[in-house]
Amino acid sequence: MSTLKNGIVCSPAIHAPGEREITFSQAIREAVAEEMARDERVFVIGEDVAEAGSVFKVLVGLLDEFGADRVIDSPISEAGIAGIGVGAAITGMRPIVDIMFGDFTTLVMDQMINQAAKTHYMSGGKLTVPMVLRTTLGASRRSAAQHSQSLHALFSHIPGLKVAVPATPYDAKGLMKSAIRDDNPVVIFEDKMLYQQKGPVPEGEYVLPLGQADVKRAGEDITIVATSSMVYTALEAVDKLAEAGISAELVDPRTTTPLDTETLIESARKTSRALVVDEGYQQYGVTGELAAVIADGAFYYLDAPVKRIGAMNVPVPFSPAMEDLTIPSADYVFETAKAMCG
Amino acid sequence: MSTLKNGIVCSPAIHAPGEREITFSQAIREAVAEEMARDERVFVIGEDVAEAGSVFKVLVGLLDEFGADRVIDSPISEAGIAGIGVGAAITGMRPIVDIMFGDFTTLVMDQMINQAAKTHYMSGGKLTVPMVLRTTLGASRRSAAQHSQSLHALFSHIPGLKVAVPATPYDAKGLMKSAIRDDNPVVIFEDKMLYQQKGPVPEGEYVLPLGQADVKRAGEDITIVATSSMVYTALEAVDKLAEAGISAELVDPRTTTPLDTETLIESARKTSRALVVDEGYQQYGVTGELAAVIADGAFYYLDAPVKRIGAMNVPVPFSPAMEDLTIPSADYVFETAKAMCG
Amino acid sequence: MTETNGTKQNGAELDAEHWLQAYEQMVRIRSFEEAANELYTSARMPGIAHLYIGEEAIAVGMCEVLRQDDYITSTHRGHGHCLAKGAALDRMFAELLGKEAGYCRGKGGSMHIADQETGNLGANGIVGGSAGIATGAGMSIKLRGTDQVAVCFFGDGALGQGLLYESMNMAQLWKLPVIYVCENNQYGEYTHNSKTAAGSMIGRATGFGVHAQGIDGQDIRTVYSTARLVVDRARNGGGPAFLVCNTYRFRGHHVGDIDRPYRTREEEEEWAKRDPLKLLEDWLTKTRQADASVFERIQQDVQTAVDEAVNFALEAPFPEESEVERHVYA
Amino acid sequence: MTETNGTKQNGAELDAEHWLQAYEQMVRIRSFEEAANELYTSARMPGIAHLYIGEEAIAVGMCEVLRQDDYITSTHRGHGHCLAKGAALDRMFAELLGKEAGYCRGKGGSMHIADQETGNLGANGIVGGSAGIATGAGMSIKLRGTDQVAVCFFGDGALGQGLLYESMNMAQLWKLPVIYVCENNQYGEYTHNSKTAAGSMIGRATGFGVHAQGIDGQDIRTVYSTARLVVDRARNGGGPAFLVCNTYRFRGHHVGDIDRPYRTREEEEEWAKRDPLKLLEDWLTKTRQADASVFERIQQDVQTAVDEAVNFALEAPFPEESEVERHVYA
Ligand SMILES: Cc1ncc(C[n+]2csc(CCOP(=O)(O)OP(=O)(O)O)c2C)c(N)n1
Ligand SMILES: Cc1ncc(C[n+]2csc(CCOP(=O)(O)OP(=O)(O)O)c2C)c(N)n1
Ligand SMILES: [Mg+2]
Ligand SMILES: [Mg+2]
């Protein structure tokens, strides 16, 4: 059993002590590079992905390693490159389409929802769309309302798409590799604030299944389900709860679609309390689905209503004095969980 | 207390017996025409809205009444006309932007999510965006995967937007008029299958508040929350439940954002059981939010887990042999409710 | 808006057999569509369909120069493209009726019909929705290093969609082998394009540096020779091209649009004179390559095949209930 | 890609006072941006900002011909537009620092800065995102029957966005008074437009029938005279226009982009010779309308005002917590 710098425990079966640590950003790059080396059908297209290695520097080096044919700087045409992704995918390639900020996925909705998600089905199973849409989520960079959203719920709603929201470098690498190998369109949301986050990642090759939750911390009194960087927020709360004598179990679904409902429900049945934390807008977001699934599946075991904490239902404001209020804080998670156990 | 043809009971305070009946389609047209007559800032823009009066014939006559300056046929440019709507709204007009099928709202996501929804907030309250986006939802017209979706959950997720899903002609007219008068962007989803549905609509002027649920049928044993045309599906189930000796209360939220959580929770507390029915994809959709709200707010009163029935999590298939399986049926609502009360 | 600055060739280099095959293909589309209409009016077809009648020369002329491994993307008005690229009548009718034997196992229907084996990447219910897909197919061809070509069919209405311009820009930047074929049938639904398309159609492509031509879409010989030009050019690395094929939708927007108050009967009659089948018949007759008896025989043979295919489809079983959950994910 | 086919005028019809005001306005933008940069590097400004340094002649030249009730829409690089249209320094700095006294009460920040009272409908974080909004403002002007004009500023990178083409088509169809001003500073972030824009920039507008000109964006006299032409034309019902103003981003993409490995120092030096402030100084000196002492005095006055405004902003209070939930809905 190995422990991340910040105290996250990873699945014991997978990690060995003394493993190397790399950043989330490096983990993504490794995953992409390994898959590009493994399968020449994989290519990357997006704005400033080649020369600049993406604005978050996640892809630096790929251009040198794989050349301009496979790491392609595009015009600022999100809808167009998503469409190119679909077309390339159904004709034998495995594109990775890079959408710089998750906020700009609003521009690719038609290609993802009406084309990518439905092509396999509408063709009666004949065409497949093995593409990955890489993008970001997460606030708190003082980037205001159009560069701070966590819009993963929108894609999670659409059958035919898979959606991954990795929290750790380990998960990021394993899920990215699976996403690239998957024969379906997968949207992967990377939290901008996590790119420098370090964590253990084994040297060797591994993939993680899409649709398998990970228990990041085992506990007895309450289940906290958290996604993406909210895993770290929740972890801080878990530590504080421990100090207050409350043993919390931290479950990370890792993918919202498919959702590992079983693990979520099992955990809630065991602890008899559940709290869901996600950085998307709370209304009609990920917390709603997860809470509904748990409240239904664990109904007869629950000692308290399932609570949820999403981002405030407001556009993300610029001013630091306001922005930090809009996203779930460790304190608030702690207080809420504590009250539930009271 | 007046009763719709199909047995829906409308709020007694509002309806008088012997009222005239008009179709859902006529109700929408009346609302738009009245508001256009009342306020010259209101105009309609969309594909085939003028000469053709919209493909569903909902707007027939408006061109003659108000002229081509106020009923404008546009190119097939959904994103463009949504943008025009935003720009016209913040400079003193009150546009109604017509998006022919709800499936095509994927093309206006950026204008609605990143512009319309955020402009008031980002400007510190200085600009307002009094626009209406009219569109449709609903399957079962054998129109296949790209013309049958109910995508209202996507908009309901976004703070800054309001979303209306009227079920009856009465509600459609009252909500449309409110939407047009509202100083915020409102997305109104009309079920294509309801356009010919008749119901009582008073001659005189009235508006309905956005954010107020309507108890369409009072009952004691179980609360069924249903939206848009699912109100009719649920009503059929309610009748069958009555025959089986179960008294169901039917609550129609009428708007998903803002959501009248109070009425939903109150009803569930009273009946101690709740079932949510909506025609959108079930995963991460409207049923999730409503179920989560009720399961939380009525937790200590519930005798059974809150259940939900959305559309199947599949793209809508063309073949009648399959399409009808994907949307909630009255039988299934009945069976589910009955089992919950068993 | 009707624009031509295009190729005119007489097809003299091709023999009668070629043109009679082309003729048969056009007749096949015409008869297919008549049968589809009949299935609709007799309430045996679920939903609606958008008929290609009047525009046959474009699909057939373009697809004649394509190989089976070349790609096309199609539109809501997609039966003609599908047949022209090589699909079989029976499985197409089966799809229109929502049967399991249909090309999409009944899941697509008219608006999403496709036969991938003959290179059709699919009809599309989103106007302009396939511009990116065709361009992506072009990208895929370039990356895989084959000499295939992708043809993107779309209507004049799709000129309103921004995606088309994003796509053409990239196709030109990267010299992708994509032919954008605008089937300018003058209307988008019920609105004439003079009300929806400003400027020049060709200019919308030349602005991006894309080779563009406006041609007579009723004359299959013109379509064929222009297609030959731009497809060969694209195949040899010359990059994308944009064709505006001027044509006319002889019927309504869809099978249910029978009154057509938005246009005059006179206009319809003028265009009827330029029926693509008739134009080819006339030329073949005038040049003594064929006569009426030949055309009649072809029409009858096709009709027999269409009737058989319709019967096949009518009798074919619907998919089982379990089918509904299959193919959401691969 | 640098294109010109545009107006060249000498501004002889205007007096020195006019040009000195324009000069002062450009200096004000330059000084504002230097101060913003300084606030960033000294870690007193949250987030980042995109500086307009080098491009001042475009905003000022365009806005000089606009009335206060004319509209502009702006971009992520929006400080220059905001000042040129008439916003005050102090409330702008307050917005950059997230203070309640800011134009957006701290909710917008650099990327959404706007002063609606002077007709600025807002900076926009979505590249090309304001094309529809400006066009809608034009529609609103037409419907309300006023003689206002809307100017849509955007970068060369926005030429990649389909919305721009959808918008220009409608503006031309309906003869809306919208001027599309492409600030072609050669780069979108870290990529030169030779890699992202095929064909001709001007051709992308002429294809839609939109009047288009490519001009020297460093010479405020050229910008001014061209603006006068197309704005008057639009005001009088002549319809939209499209200007490509060739310019250069003297600094990085944003305040944090200081290495600029994607371009050469030589290229930067070449463009530095065409500093818009210097060009105007030179002309005013050569034509003896002003001399160095005048420029210096203006610079000093502006600097004093900027310093005061920065101090105002630094001392201004942050919004209260309750502000976060205000203005979600009107
Ligand atoms: C994005 C989108 N908007 C609107 C529609 C509705 N619609 C279906 S066909 C059509 C007209 C298309 O005109 P055109 O592209 O000229 O093709 P045609 O029908 O003339 O062949 C419209 C508006 C749609 N399917 N997709
Ligand atoms: C739709 C969208 N895609 C990508 C971005 C990220 N982005 C911000 S500025 C920029 C470059 C814009 O270039 P240009 O339009 O030329 O403006 P400039 O910065 O040169 O003034 C990009 C890609 C964005 N903000 N919006
Ligand atoms: Mg057409
Ligand atoms: Mg630029």
Side-chain angles (χ1 to χ4, degrees):
Chain A
M1 172 114 49
S2 97
T3 305
L4 294 197
K5 248 199 176 130
N6 45 30
I8 289 199
V9 177
C10 294
S11 320
I14 296 162
H15 288 284
E19 253 169 13
R20 75 179 174 137
E21 295 210 333
I22 61 174
T23 64
F24 193 98
S25 170
Q26 285 169 320
I28 295 281
R29 177 164 54 247
E30 266 192 18
V32 173
E34 284 177 21
E35 293 304 303
M36 288 184 77
R38 178 179 175 270
D39 185 343
E40 61 179 20
R41 296 171 302 175
V42 179
F43 71 97
V44 179
I45 186 168
E47 295 152 23
D48 287 310
V49 293
E51 299 273 354
S54 94
V55 296
F56 299 108
K57 303 290 167 211
V58 176
L59 304 177
V60 168
L62 290 185
L63 176 66
D64 286 346
E65 193 172 345
F66 299 103
D69 260 9
R70 296 182 66 198
V71 189
I72 302 165
D73 274 333
S74 79
I76 308 174
S77 304
E78 281 80 5
I81 59 175
I84 283 182
V86 178
I90 61 180
T91 56
M93 302 299 291
R94 303 185 84 85
I96 302 174
V97 177
D98 187 296
I99 302 294
M100 199 182 287
F101 281 75
D103 310 70
F104 313 155
T105 61
T106 49
L107 293 159
V108 304
M109 287 289 173
D110 189 64
Q111 290 301 310
M112 294 310 291
I113 293 178
N114 282 326
Q115 312 296 344
K118 297 179 173 43
T119 296
H120 184 62
Y121 193 81
M122 292 192 307
S123 70
K126 294 220 197 88
L127 296 171
T128 55
V129 190
M131 77 183 271
V132 172
L133 195 90
R134 264 194 78 216
T135 194
T136 63
L137 59 69
S140 73
R141 291 175 80 252
R142 318 316 180 201
S143 305
Q146 294 174 339
H147 284 71
S148 306
Q149 294 170 93
S150 300
L151 296 178
H152 50 301
L154 301 182
F155 292 95
S156 306
H157 182 47
I158 306 299
L161 300 179
K162 297 185 179 180
V163 179
V165 285
T168 66
Y170 176 79
D171 291 348
K173 182 170 178 186
L175 294 173
M176 177 58 87
K177 285 170 71 85
S178 289
I180 296 170
R181 292 186 198 182
D182 201 285
D183 278 337
N184 300 286
V186 182
V187 186
I188 182 157
F189 283 89
E190 306 164 12
D191 191 306
K192 300 182 279 283
M193 300 302 284
L194 286 184
Y195 280 132
Q196 298 319 313
Q197 178 77 38
K198 278 196 161 187
V201 175
E203 300 274 353
E205 153 123 351
Y206 68 95
V207 294
L208 292 174
L210 302 170
Q212 196 173 89
D214 186 41
V215 178
K216 292 270 191 283
R217 220 15 127 66
E220 297 301 324
D221 302 329
I222 182 171
T223 296
I224 302 182
V225 181
T227 59
S228 189
S229 62
M230 289 302 104
V231 167
Y232 299 90
T233 303
L235 196 84
E236 244 186 275
V238 168
D239 285 341
K240 289 182 80 172
L241 287 164
E243 285 167 31
I246 296 168
S247 157
E249 176 148 304
L250 178 56
V251 182
D252 173 4
R254 295 200 290 205
T255 55
T256 50
T257 316
L259 179 66
D260 181 355
T261 54
E262 208 176 307
T263 301
L264 267 55
I265 293 169
E266 279 308 313
S267 175
R269 286 185 177 183
K270 184 181 77 176
T271 63
S272 74
R273 289 177 176 84
L275 169 63
V276 182
V277 190
D278 178 80
E279 201 182 336
Y281 301 123
Q282 181 165 317
Q283 63 190 25
Y284 302 90
V286 163
T287 62
E289 178 72 15
L290 270 48
V293 161
I294 295 169
D296 180 4
F299 183 77
Y300 297 102
Y301 301 77
L302 291 176
D303 290 339
V306 179
K307 292 285 176 186
R308 54 205 183 108
I309 306 177
M312 280 177 72
N313 294 323
V314 308
V316 181
F318 163 69
S319 181
M322 294 185 276
E323 184 181 26
D324 294 339
L325 303 172
T326 68
I327 54 173
S329 70
D331 276 347
Y332 189 55
V333 174
F334 166 74
E335 295 296 349
T336 307
K338 192 161 156 253
M340 287 172 71
C341 295
Chain B
M1 174 115 49
S2 95
T3 304
L4 295 197
K5 248 197 178 135
N6 45 32
I8 289 199
V9 176
C10 292
S11 318
I14 297 161
H15 289 284
E19 251 168 12
R20 74 179 175 138
E21 295 210 334
I22 62 175
T23 63
F24 193 99
S25 170
Q26 285 168 321
I28 294 280
R29 177 164 54 249
E30 266 191 18
V32 173
E34 285 177 20
E35 293 303 305
M36 288 183 77
R38 177 179 177 270
D39 185 344
E40 61 178 21
R41 296 170 301 175
V42 180
F43 71 98
V44 179
I45 186 167
E47 295 151 24
D48 287 310
V49 293
E51 298 273 354
S54 93
V55 296
F56 298 108
K57 303 291 168 211
V58 176
L59 305 177
V60 168
L62 291 186
L63 176 65
D64 286 346
E65 192 172 347
F66 300 103
D69 260 9
R70 295 182 65 196
V71 189
I72 302 165
D73 275 333
S74 79
I76 308 175
S77 305
E78 282 80 5
I81 58 176
I84 283 181
V86 178
I90 61 180
T91 55
M93 302 298 292
R94 304 185 83 85
I96 302 176
V97 177
D98 186 297
I99 302 294
M100 198 181 287
F101 282 74
D103 310 70
F104 312 156
T105 60
T106 49
L107 293 160
V108 305
M109 288 290 174
D110 189 64
Q111 290 302 309
M112 295 310 291
I113 294 179
N114 283 325
Q115 312 297 342
K118 297 178 173 43
T119 295
H120 184 61
Y121 193 82
M122 292 192 308
S123 69
K126 294 221 197 87
L127 297 171
T128 55
V129 190
M131 76 183 273
V132 172
L133 195 91
R134 262 194 78 217
T135 193
T136 63
L137 59 69
S140 73
R141 292 175 82 251
R142 319 315 180 199
S143 306
Q146 296 174 337
H147 285 70
S148 306
Q149 295 169 92
S150 300
L151 296 178
H152 48 303
L154 300 183
F155 292 95
S156 307
H157 183 47
I158 306 298
L161 300 179
K162 297 185 179 180
V163 179
V165 285
T168 66
Y170 176 78
D171 291 348
K173 181 170 177 186
L175 294 173
M176 177 60 88
K177 284 171 71 84
S178 289
I180 296 170
R181 293 187 196 180
D182 201 286
D183 278 335
N184 300 286
V186 182
V187 187
I188 183 157
F189 284 88
E190 305 163 12
D191 192 305
K192 300 181 280 282
M193 300 301 285
L194 287 183
Y195 280 131
Q196 298 319 313
Q197 179 76 36
K198 278 196 162 185
V201 174
E203 301 273 354
E205 152 121 351
Y206 68 95
V207 293
L208 292 173
L210 302 170
Q212 196 173 90
D214 185 41
V215 177
K216 292 271 191 280
R217 216 24 122 62
E220 298 300 326
D221 303 328
I222 182 170
T223 296
I224 303 183
V225 180
T227 59
S228 188
S229 62
M230 291 301 105
V231 166
Y232 299 90
T233 304
L235 196 83
E236 245 186 274
V238 167
D239 285 342
K240 291 183 80 172
L241 286 164
E243 286 166 30
I246 297 168
S247 158
E249 177 149 303
L250 178 55
V251 181
D252 173 3
R254 295 200 290 204
T255 55
T256 50
T257 314
L259 180 66
D260 181 355
T261 55
E262 207 177 307
T263 301
L264 268 56
I265 292 169
E266 279 308 313
S267 175
R269 286 184 177 184
K270 183 181 75 174
T271 63
S272 74
R273 287 177 178 84
L275 168 63
V276 182
V277 191
D278 178 81
E279 201 182 336
Y281 301 124
Q282 181 165 315
Q283 64 191 24
Y284 302 90
V286 163
T287 62
E289 177 72 15
L290 272 48
V293 161
I294 296 169
D296 180 5
F299 183 76
Y300 297 102
Y301 301 76
L302 291 176
D303 290 338
V306 179
K307 292 284 175 187
R308 54 203 184 109
I309 306 178
M312 280 178 71
N313 294 322
V314 308
V316 181
F318 163 70
S319 182
M322 294 185 277
E323 184 181 24
D324 294 340
L325 303 173
T326 68
I327 53 173
S329 70
D331 277 347
Y332 189 55
V333 174
F334 166 73
E335 295 296 349
T336 307
K338 192 162 155 255
M340 288 172 70
C341 296
Chain C
M1 190 188 289
T2 291
E3 295 180 24
T4 48
N5 68 340
T7 318
K8 280 254 177 213
Q9 287 204 10
N10 60 16
E13 80 283 12
L14 296 165
D15 60 14
E17 197 187 334
H18 168 97
W19 292 118
L20 286 173
Q21 268 170 19
Y23 178 75
E24 181 179 327
Q25 195 67 296
M26 290 201 290
V27 171
R28 187 174 289 115
I29 295 172
R30 180 73 52 99
S31 306
F32 181 94
E33 297 293 53
E34 294 288 7
N37 193 44
E38 164 62 18
L39 286 166
Y40 170 80
T41 50
S42 60
R44 288 179 296 171
M45 182 179 78
I48 54 158
H50 305 83
L51 305 182
Y52 198 65
I53 292 176
E55 313 185 21
E56 295 91 340
I58 303 171
V60 175
M62 286 303 307
C63 291
E64 267 186 308
V65 307
L66 297 183
R67 304 192 310 230
Q68 173 147 335
D69 70 340
D70 288 329
Y71 300 114
I72 65 165
T73 62
S74 168
T75 68
H76 57 286
R77 197 175 301 289
H79 307 165
H81 310 132
C82 198
L83 283 163
K85 196 67 177 49
L89 293 164
D90 51 358
R91 299 194 59 195
M92 282 189 62
F93 280 118
E95 188 59 37
L96 259 53
L97 300 186
K99 302 300 182 71
E100 190 181 335
Y103 275 115
C104 312
R105 306 179 65 81
K107 283 173 170 157
S110 166
M111 209 146 33
H112 306 294
I113 203 158
D115 172 22
Q116 294 77 20
E117 274 163 40
T118 53
N120 185 348
L121 300 178
N124 210 308
I126 303 298
V127 167
S130 68
I133 297 176
T135 309
M139 175 69 106
S140 162
I141 291 168
K142 188 184 169 199
L143 292 175
R144 287 184 286 106
T146 70
D147 67 345
Q148 293 160 284
V149 163
V151 173
C152 178
F153 291 104
F154 57 94
D156 47 321
L159 295 172
Q161 291 284 317
L163 177 67
L164 178 65
Y165 304 99
E166 298 189 5
S167 300
M168 286 200 294
N169 182 44
M170 290 190 276
Q172 180 63 23
L173 273 176
W174 302 323
K175 291 263 186 296
L176 305 181
V178 186
I179 316 295
Y180 300 91
V181 178
C182 177
E183 304 182 313
N184 175 18
N185 64 7
Q186 319 300 324
Y187 292 84
E189 290 193 345
Y190 317 117
T191 304
H192 193 270
N193 65 37
S194 58
K195 288 179 66 179
T196 55
S200 117
M201 292 191 186
I202 291 166
R204 287 150 182 243
T206 52
F208 293 92
V210 174
H211 173 84
Q213 290 182 246
I215 61 169
D216 179 359
Q218 300 309 89
D219 178 2
I220 189 167
R221 294 182 302 129
T222 301
V223 175
Y224 176 86
S225 51
T226 315
R228 172 62 63 212
L229 223 74
V230 295
V231 168
D232 287 351
R233 182 174 170 277
R235 217 186 279 295
N236 296 317
F242 177 87
L243 301 181
V244 178
C245 302
N246 294 296
T247 185
Y248 200 71
R249 200 182 69 197
F250 282 15
R251 302 296 169 84
H253 171 55
H254 57 64
V255 286
D257 170 29
I258 41 179
D259 291 343
R260 307 184 301 284
Y262 48 86
R263 67 189 196 188
T264 64
R265 296 300 84 87
E266 292 70 48
E267 180 182 288
E268 293 181 351
E269 277 156 28
E270 273 313 302
W271 276 95
K273 294 180 193 155
R274 311 213 64 252
D275 184 325
L277 274 64
K278 206 170 139 307
L279 291 188
L280 184 55
E281 282 174 13
D282 288 352
W283 178 72
L284 286 169
T285 310
K286 209 177 61 194
T287 53
R288 301 183 193 221
Q289 301 186 70
D291 61 21
S293 69
V294 178
F295 307 139
E296 235 161 77
R297 183 187 42 74
I298 290 176
Q299 287 163 16
Q300 277 166 10
D301 289 354
V302 166
Q303 193 57 52
T304 309
V306 164
D307 291 345
E308 277 171 19
V310 167
N311 282 335
F312 166 83
L314 286 169
E315 279 159 29
F318 281 109
E320 313 218 324
E321 292 208 347
S322 64
E323 181 74 23
V324 72
E325 293 198 272
R326 290 182 63 195
H327 306 308
V328 181
Y329 293 99
Chain D
M1 189 188 288
T2 292
E3 295 181 23
T4 48
N5 69 340
T7 317
K8 281 254 177 213
Q9 287 205 11
N10 60 16
E13 79 282 14
L14 296 165
D15 60 13
E17 198 186 334
H18 168 98
W19 291 118
L20 286 173
Q21 266 171 21
Y23 179 74
E24 182 179 328
Q25 195 66 296
M26 290 201 289
V27 172
R28 187 174 289 115
I29 295 173
R30 179 74 51 100
S31 304
F32 181 95
E33 297 294 52
E34 293 288 7
N37 193 44
E38 163 63 18
L39 285 167
Y40 170 80
T41 50
S42 59
R44 288 178 298 171
M45 181 179 79
I48 53 158
H50 306 82
L51 306 182
Y52 198 63
I53 292 177
E55 313 185 22
E56 295 91 342
I58 303 171
V60 176
M62 287 302 308
C63 290
E64 266 187 309
V65 308
L66 298 182
R67 303 191 312 229
Q68 173 146 336
D69 70 340
D70 288 330
Y71 300 116
I72 65 165
T73 62
S74 167
T75 67
H76 58 286
R77 197 176 301 289
H79 307 165
H81 310 132
C82 199
L83 284 164
K85 195 68 175 48
L89 293 165
D90 51 359
R91 299 193 60 194
M92 283 189 61
F93 279 119
E95 188 58 38
L96 259 54
L97 300 186
K99 303 301 181 71
E100 189 179 336
Y103 274 115
C104 312
R105 305 178 63 81
K107 282 173 171 158
S110 165
M111 213 149 30
H112 306 295
I113 203 158
D115 172 23
Q116 293 78 22
E117 276 164 40
T118 52
N120 185 348
L121 300 177
N124 210 308
I126 303 297
V127 167
S130 69
I133 297 175
T135 309
M139 175 69 108
S140 163
I141 291 168
K142 188 184 168 200
L143 293 174
R144 287 184 286 107
T146 70
D147 67 346
Q148 293 159 285
V149 163
V151 173
C152 178
F153 291 104
F154 57 94
D156 47 321
L159 295 171
Q161 290 283 317
L163 177 67
L164 177 67
Y165 305 98
E166 298 190 6
S167 300
M168 286 201 293
N169 182 44
M170 290 189 276
Q172 180 63 22
L173 274 175
W174 301 324
K175 290 264 187 294
L176 305 181
V178 186
I179 315 296
Y180 300 91
V181 179
C182 177
E183 304 183 312
N184 175 18
N185 64 8
Q186 318 300 325
Y187 292 84
E189 289 193 343
Y190 317 117
T191 305
H192 192 269
N193 66 35
S194 57
K195 288 180 66 180
T196 55
S200 116
M201 293 191 184
I202 292 166
R204 288 149 181 243
T206 52
F208 292 92
V210 173
H211 172 82
Q213 290 182 246
I215 61 170
D216 179 359
Q218 301 308 89
D219 178 2
I220 190 166
R221 293 183 303 130
T222 302
V223 175
Y224 176 85
S225 52
T226 315
R228 172 62 63 211
L229 223 74
V230 295
V231 167
D232 287 350
R233 184 175 171 276
R235 215 185 281 295
N236 296 318
F242 177 86
L243 301 182
V244 177
C245 302
N246 294 297
T247 184
Y248 200 71
R249 201 182 68 197
F250 282 14
R251 302 295 169 84
H253 171 55
H254 57 63
V255 285
D257 171 27
I258 40 178
D259 292 342
R260 306 183 303 283
Y262 48 86
R263 69 188 195 189
T264 65
R265 295 301 83 86
E266 292 70 47
E267 181 182 288
E268 293 181 350
E269 278 156 29
E270 274 312 302
W271 276 95
K273 294 181 192 154
R274 311 213 66 252
D275 183 325
L277 275 63
K278 206 171 138 308
L279 291 189
L280 184 56
E281 282 174 14
D282 288 351
W283 178 72
L284 286 170
T285 309
K286 209 177 61 192
T287 54
R288 300 181 193 223
Q289 301 185 70
D291 60 23
S293 69
V294 177
F295 307 138
E296 235 160 78
R297 182 186 42 75
I298 292 176
Q299 287 163 16
Q300 276 165 8
D301 289 352
V302 165
Q303 192 56 50
T304 308
V306 164
D307 291 344
E308 276 169 20
V310 167
N311 283 334
F312 166 83
L314 285 169
E315 278 158 31
F318 280 109
E320 313 218 326
E321 292 207 348
S322 64
E323 180 73 24
V324 72
E325 293 198 271
R326 292 183 63 196
H327 306 308
V328 181
Y329 293 99

